[in-house]
Amino acid sequence: MMLNTAIQLLSAAAKHAPSEVAPCAILWADPKGEWKPLLSLLRERLPQLLTYGEYDLDERCGPSIWLKCVVERTLSDIQIPDELTPIIYLPEVSRQSLRAGNDCPAELQPLVELLYRGTTWTQKSGRDWTVEAMLVSGDAMGLDLARDNVTRLSMMASLSVLATTPVERLQGKRLEAEDFNKLMIGDHPHDLLRWMSSPETCTEELKESGKWVSFASECNNDYKFDPESDGAIVAGERLGLKDNTAWEQLWERFRLAPVNYPGIPDLLSRSKPSGVIAYDKETWPTVNANEEDRLREALGKLEDQEPSSVRETISKLDQDHGERRNWVWAKLGQAPLAGALEELVKVAERTSSHLGGDSADEMARLYAESGFLVDDAAIRVLASVKSAADRTALFGALRSIYLPWVDQSAKRLQGFAKTKRLPVNSDQETIAAELGQVLLFADGLRYDVAQRLVDALSERNFRCTQKNRWAALPSVTATAKPAVSPIAEQLVGVGLPNSFVPKIKAEGQDVTFARLQKLLKDSGYQIIDNSELGDPTAKAAKGWCEAGQIDKRGHDLQVDLAGIIEEQVEGLADRIADLIGAGWRSVRVITDHGWLLMPGNLPKTDLPHYLASSRWSRCATIKGGSQVSVPKAVWHWNTDEEFALAPGVDCFAKGNAYAHGGVSLQECLIADMTVEPANTTTEKVVEIKEVKWANLKCRVAVDPADPTWTVDIRTKPSASDSSVVTSAKDMDTSGAVTLFVEDGDLLESVAVVVVCDASGTVITKQNTTIGGS
């Protein structure tokens, strides 16, 4: 329904990249005051909604200065939770008036600076969200709406009813004035559900409006029920029992949008009759609650049990509880364990056989084909529940089947180190950006999370091409990040430092963040900060930027990282979309390593302090010539040096649910993807649209425009030394170039206008007469 869509989009306006400062407020300009009829409904659902106008504390309304104080949270009589971003609704105010500087009305001027510290609620196009835009936009409801004035008038007249009408009732047809008029005639099922949700309040409203008698009459006629004499408990019982066809239809109406009727679950809990043998289990929230308790108890018994037995039990539990995922209580978030079972079953099924492969590369192929789906499902299980009791029960069951599978595949991969050097240490191509491309480094973009990013970008109409790489060993940022940077060939390993950091060959200094960025700049890369988009029109434009905080948040949050993975993926997708939208031809997404995430923490392996110079969670430097009983591998930056690895998925310390630095597919197989607009083609049709002379000055227009292309005028198309102009020119973003011929004696002679790509290859040409028309 429209109300839910508006709330979702308003909430989304507060989204920001993890590295950015959150907006202090969301400004909602409504020049025509279209949304005012819905303010009361929106206030019920959005405690952070404020309105510009005359002071009225009950309506959370006030002048600019008062609004500023609320935003800064300096008033004691109105509080907005810290986790919510204030929304300031501005009826009859346009964004243009706020941006008018000194011409902005004095009463609005205190709000102007919020344009810069906050954000505005607009469509992607930058236009305001009107009611009509909400209905028709593909980013909102996506309905088919007639655009005539009569329809628009009927649409606005029915807004209060339209806002809570399930979208299913509006889809599949072209909406015209008649459809909106029908909404206004009356929606008795909706009125009855509203009354059942809040009987006292609704009764008072209906009596004040003079509609109570007709409402009660319709209840008697349609449902054989008298709201005055029977009361809400009887209505709840008959709804739960789906007493006849009318009540069955009313139940289906409730199922479409249960959030609109928040009081009905409690009513049904109080209305369930005793002694009734046969009834529909779905309609009673107490039945669902009891089933969740039963499922929680069953899952709680699975920790540390034999994996095959756990899988069998999980399958049986899903047969018993899976149907509850389709119950209305799942929509209301009251069946989290039943929902989590869907992903837990995937983990159980996919871990029933170990990951095979006769070589590291074969293991990587099998993992990339389907093995990563185990990790993806495990992350979704970890993110699916919030309460401590649910987490304890579910996480124990997950650990019983997930840990053995991950550990086996890690030990198998580590086993290949005994016969030959692991492929993670083999030579791989140095990563470099093409002209017009940005390298986007996302620290800790694990393989399964990278596939989620591919899906998110596909939904935004981008094309992703992907190849896989092995991370540098050990799989820690200090070693692996420089290895995927364009300046990798300028680095070298000296000995085996406890930090695992390589040095710059020319200077002998450790690679720090600042030095890495300087090397990139010296190599012709634009360093693009989080708040910037770079300059794709610059000559030989190449960019380097960093986005996302998966690795940092993993170390901070440990197992709770699972709950923010989707947010991180969306943030990366938004950043990529912004870069391409700014004019970059493509974005190449690279990362340094993955990670392990295990509920109940990863197992511990002992490595005595006297054997190690430094111990990280999954790797360690060996002291002197000490002999260690754990696996070893050579350092990526100096293959004469070996370091210690924790076996399997073990750690050298307790208490790590999140860790990396060792050898496992989850840590070492990484994605390397290139993102482009889906409508680009590999071969562009280039056309010289105009060659216009004014004496010895020539204006050339080319379509499409590409700032990496150069325009020249020559006597021989492929010979750059036959150029007759003062200098060839790079075209601007409009595709236009102005050239000047040096020699006046060439006037009226024949030449060729050529367009060359970044490599200097002629991609199109056109004959011309110098000085001609």
Side-chain angles (χ1 to χ4, degrees), residues 518-535:
K518 182 179 184 302
L519 289 173
L520 287 166
K521 283 184 180 179
D522 292 344
S523 299
Y525 283 83
Q526 298 178 30
I527 305 301
I528 305 173
D529 292 337
N530 289 320
S531 60
E532 301 174 346
L533 295 171
D535 181 9

Side-chain angles (χ1 to χ4, degrees), residues 3-15:
L3 190 66
N4 285 347
T5 302
I7 290 171
Q8 290 168 4
L9 290 170
L10 277 164
S11 300
K15 285 180 58 178

Side-chain angles (χ1 to χ4, degrees), residues 148 316 511 574 716 722:
D148 59 276
K316 290 179 179 177
V511 180
D574 289 343
K716 298 177 182 179
S722 70

Side-chain angles (χ1 to χ4, degrees), residues 6-139:
I7 290 171
Q8 290 168 4
L9 290 170
L10 277 164
S11 300
K15 285 180 58 178
H16 60 286
S19 57
E20 296 176 350
V21 176
C24 66
I26 299 168
L27 297 180
W28 173 8
D30 182 14
K32 297 181 180 179
E34 290 186 355
W35 294 95
K36 286 197 292 185
L38 302 186
L39 276 182
S40 60
L41 290 172
L42 288 165
R43 287 194 193 101
E44 293 175 5
R45 304 273 294 277
L46 294 171
Q48 70 272 38
L49 179 62
L50 311 167
T51 302
Y52 168 73
E54 294 184 8
Y55 178 73
D56 186 333
L57 182 60
D58 292 337
E59 300 294 332
R60 302 201 291 271
C61 182
S64 298
I65 295 298
W66 180 82
L67 292 170
K68 285 286 294 290
C69 292
V70 178
V71 168
E72 301 303 329
R73 293 172 167 83
T74 61
L75 301 180
S76 59
D77 56 353
I78 180 168
Q79 298 291 326
I80 295 178
D82 291 339
E83 67 274 12
L84 296 179
T85 304
I87 301 169
I88 300 178
Y89 173 64
L90 303 165
E92 282 90 36
V93 174
S94 67
R95 283 181 294 127
Q96 287 73 20
S97 62
L98 289 176
R99 296 182 187 277
N102 293 333
D103 293 330
C104 175
E107 61 271 19
L108 286 172
Q109 286 182 7
L111 299 178
V112 171
E113 63 95 12
L114 296 182
L115 286 170
Y116 307 98
R117 288 199 300 128
T119 187
T120 55
W121 188 49
T122 61
Q123 303 177 59
K124 289 181 179 179
S125 63
R127 297 178 179 178
D128 292 324
W129 275 113
T130 62
V131 171
E132 183 174 328
M134 184 70 65
L135 290 175
V136 303
S137 172
D139 295 322

Side-chain angles (χ1 to χ4, degrees), residues 353-425:
S353 60
H354 289 306
L355 192 68
D358 296 330
S359 67
D361 287 333
E362 178 66 9
M363 287 190 73
R365 184 186 67 80
L366 294 172
Y367 182 79
E369 285 180 356
S370 61
F372 75 91
L373 293 171
V374 176
D375 300 309
D376 179 76
I379 289 290
R380 295 179 191 276
V381 171
L382 294 172
S384 62
V385 292
K386 299 293 186 289
S387 76
D390 286 351
R391 286 162 63 96
T392 298
L394 187 63
F395 290 7
L398 173 63
R399 180 184 174 86
S400 296
I401 54 176
Y402 184 45
L403 177 58
W405 185 85
V406 178
D407 190 54
Q408 180 276 336
S409 65
K411 288 177 177 175
R412 187 177 185 86
L413 183 63
Q414 291 165 11
F416 293 117
K418 297 178 180 179
T419 56
K420 63 177 182 178
R421 198 173 70 175
L422 283 172
V424 284
N425 287 313

Side-chain angles (χ1 to χ4, degrees), residues 736-759:
V737 173
T738 300
L739 301 166
F740 297 89
V741 175
E742 292 183 291
D743 188 355
D745 292 337
L746 293 175
L747 198 64
E748 298 186 355
S749 61
V750 176
V752 182
V753 176
V754 296
V755 178
C756 302
D757 65 14
S759 67

